């Protein structure tokens, strides 16, 4: 059997996926399965470090799973599961809490940011979250953990905790490397092209499940630039709004910048903006339809996350048994 390198990533079901997430990241994930043995899980246990509405959390967890499948993560080729369905995460999470230092946790910038944002709910879980994340990762002995900038510090801590543990008990954990994915398109907000498209600015953000007419409305209202030229030309410094729309158009149609400039030569923005809207609608249509179909097929969705949890549990329990033995717990 060929030994593929293992890759693992967790995704918090705390918001709806948008065009920036898709073009910048998810679009490229399907192809990874050819090279790596990939695990992806919905990090529902992490999500409750911030207060959630239970119905929304349940809906988002399933919606997000359906959307990932619709975006090309094939459940036959990837292990897709829900974190809380694999109890080993909570179990190793507790153990690693006892090998993670108060000082280390105090230095995490995400804790400081979230504590400042949710002053009325600075709970223990928010503080010890990196120990659970270390458990998420180390259970699967992955070679790589794909992460964005904001999670690098947690990955470093994971490596430190794993090394500390290995130093005491011998080689139990593989030390994972952060994996910096090839940069996808960086998509800026339609209403404010100087900042990245983000769900915190919903007016300039196109969600994957949004209705075509709502998407078109957002594109028609997209901020273009106040220069007098009013032509479709790629120049991110002088024309950030138009260049962002061109980036989006290029990403969804595969056209090059000169091709796009030629296509809209002499036409101003009135034709260009709805054309980008139409192209995005057509790109997202199959994803939205497939995600809706999957969501309605409850039996299928259940079969995916059950099979995923079963496969994940097998791998995770093997590591957990080893850890329990090393630290002196009596075998069950
Ligand atoms: P936000 O909260 O700002 O909407 P997010 O929290 O949904 O963003 P992250 O969890 O930070 O997104 O990131 C998920 C993935 O999507 C990351 O790989 C990140 O690089 C990518 N991503 C997020 N927003 C964009 C964007 N506007 N353009 C390109 N890639 C993006
Ligand atoms: N903390 C991450 C989500 C996450 C994760 C993980 C990512 C939880 N466990 C394990 C990679 C590996 C976040 O907030 N984006």
């Amino acid at each position: 059997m060929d030994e593929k390198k293992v890759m693992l990533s967790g995704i918090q079901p705390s918001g709806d996926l948008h065009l920036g997430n898709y073009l910048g990241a998810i679009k490229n994930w399907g192809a990874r399965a050819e090279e790596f043995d990939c695990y992806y899980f919905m990090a529902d246990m992490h999500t409750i470090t911030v207060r959630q509405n239970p119905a929304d959390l349940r809906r988002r967890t399933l919606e997000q799973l359906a959307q990932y499948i619709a975006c090309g993560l094939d459940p036959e080729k990837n292990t897709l599961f829900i974190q809380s369905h694999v109890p080993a995460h909570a179990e190793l999470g507790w153990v690693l809490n006892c090998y993670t230092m108060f000082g280390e946790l105090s230095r995490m910038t995400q804790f400081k940011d979230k504590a400042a944002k949710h002053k009325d709910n600075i709970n223990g879980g928010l503080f010890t979250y990196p120990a659970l994340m270390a458990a998420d990762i180390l259970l699967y002995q992955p070679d790589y953990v794909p992460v964005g900038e904001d999670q690098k510090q947690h990955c470093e801590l994971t490596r430190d905790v794993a090394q500390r543990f290995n130093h005491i008990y011998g080689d139990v954990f593989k030390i994972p490397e952060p994996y910096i994915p090839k940069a996808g398109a960086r998509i800026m907000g339609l209403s404010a092209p100087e900042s990245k498209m983000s769900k915190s600015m919903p007016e300039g953000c196109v969600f994957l499940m949004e209705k075509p007419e709502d998407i078109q409305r957002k594109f028609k209202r997209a901020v273009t630039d106040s220069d007098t030229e009013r032509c479709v030309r790629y120049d991110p410094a002088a024309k950030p709004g138009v260049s962002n729309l061109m980036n989006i158009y290029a990403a969804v149609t595969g056209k090059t910048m000169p091709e796009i400039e030629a296509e809209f030569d002499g036409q101003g923005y009135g034709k260009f903006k709805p054309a980008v809207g139409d192209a995005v609608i057509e790109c997202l249509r199959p994803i939205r339809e497939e995600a809706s179909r999957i969501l309605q097929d409850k039996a299928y969705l259940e079969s995916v996350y059950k099979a995923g949890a079963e496969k994940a549990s097998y791998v995770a329990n093997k590591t957990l048994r080893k850890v329990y033995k090393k630290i002196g717990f009596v075998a069950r």
Side-chain angles (χ1 to χ4, degrees):
M1 217 178 81
D2 67 322
E3 282 288 319
K4 282 184 182 173
K5 299 253 187 202
V6 176
M7 186 178 268
L8 167 133
S9 196
I11 309 127
Q12 288 209 41
S14 52
D16 295 320
L17 297 175
H18 55 72
L19 189 66
N21 298 142
Y22 178 66
L23 295 178
I26 308 165
K27 190 179 167 194
N28 305 316
W29 292 0
R32 281 183 190 163
E34 305 303 323
E35 195 181 341
F36 301 103
D37 184 9
C38 296
Y39 292 78
Y40 298 96
F41 63 93
M42 308 301 126
D44 54 352
M45 292 166 69
H46 285 273
T47 306
I48 62 163
T49 54
V50 172
R51 202 67 75 226
Q52 302 290 327
N53 171 309
D56 285 346
L57 176 57
R58 201 172 350 260
R59 174 181 59 78
R60 282 207 179 111
T61 304
L62 295 175
E63 272 180 12
Q64 215 163 88
L65 179 59
Q67 286 174 40
Y68 281 110
I69 299 170
C71 286
L73 277 189
D74 182 347
E76 301 286 325
K77 297 184 181 162
N78 299 274
T79 307
L80 308 179
F81 65 101
I82 298 171
Q83 184 185 25
S84 62
H85 290 187
V86 181
H89 289 248
E91 298 178 77
L92 185 64
W94 170 252
V95 173
L96 294 185
N97 253 310
C98 303
Y99 293 80
T100 308
M101 300 303 137
F102 181 87
E104 288 175 317
L105 293 169
S106 308
R107 282 194 290 276
M108 295 295 114
T109 55
Q110 185 173 309
F111 170 71
K112 292 190 227 173
D113 291 349
K114 287 202 176 175
K117 232 163 107 184
H118 305 276
K119 283 209 168 53
D120 54 339
N121 186 21
I122 307 177
N123 58 72
L126 192 66
F127 187 64
T128 60
Y129 163 124
L132 179 60
M133 178 158 163
D136 296 338
I137 296 171
L138 298 175
L139 278 173
Y140 300 91
Q141 310 277 4
D143 297 279
Y144 299 111
V145 181
V147 279
E149 209 42 55
D150 65 324
Q151 296 300 318
K152 270 199 190 144
Q153 205 184 21
H154 292 158
C155 282
E156 274 310 310
L157 181 61
T158 299
R159 287 166 58 90
D160 292 345
V161 171
Q163 269 155 351
R164 180 173 302 140
F165 196 94
N166 284 355
H167 188 70
I168 307 172
Y169 301 105
D171 272 344
V172 177
F173 297 125
K174 182 175 261 178
I175 309 300
E177 300 282 336
Y179 177 85
I180 311 300
K182 270 188 237 104
R186 186 170 154 79
I187 306 300
M188 312 308 277
L190 299 186
S191 54
E194 60 287 349
S195 45
K196 73 167 195 147
M197 182 176 283
S198 162
K199 57 183 175 285
S200 59
M201 299 219 275
E203 246 331 281
C205 182
V206 174
F207 295 97
L208 297 192
M209 299 304 276
E210 217 165 352
K211 290 207 281 297
E213 52 273 30
D214 293 338
I215 297 180
Q216 190 53 272
R217 183 178 50 79
K218 286 181 178 173
F219 275 98
K220 283 187 177 153
R221 285 194 198 156
V223 169
T224 39
D225 310 295
S226 52
D227 58 336
T228 48
E229 192 180 69
R230 306 211 59 81
C231 76
V232 176
R233 188 169 58 79
Y234 192 68
D235 184 346
K239 297 162 78 75
V242 170
S243 301
N244 182 44
L245 291 173
M246 290 178 77
N247 264 331
I248 295 174
Y249 194 64
V252 298
T253 61
K255 291 178 185 170
T256 64
M257 293 306 167
E259 282 168 356
I260 299 170
E261 286 173 356
E263 186 177 345
F264 296 97
D265 189 29
Q267 295 190 40
Y269 302 150
K271 280 253 169 59
F272 176 55
K273 290 202 279 187
V276 182
D278 283 337
V280 168
I281 289 166
E282 287 321 309
C283 167
L284 295 185
R285 188 188 302 282
I287 296 175
R288 182 169 51 96
E289 288 177 356
E290 178 67 357
S292 309
R293 193 190 64 72
I294 293 170
L295 264 176
Q296 275 157 27
D297 190 348
K298 293 268 182 292
Y300 170 72
L301 203 54
E302 194 178 308
S303 74
V304 168
Y305 64 68
K306 283 202 164 156
E310 197 173 319
K311 181 157 176 239
S313 294
Y314 178 80
V315 178
N317 286 334
K318 225 157 98 179
T319 304
L320 186 68
R321 275 198 301 275
K322 205 162 160 187
V323 168
Y324 275 7
K325 192 171 171 190
K326 291 280 186 186
I327 58 182
F329 287 180
V330 174
R332 320 180 206 201

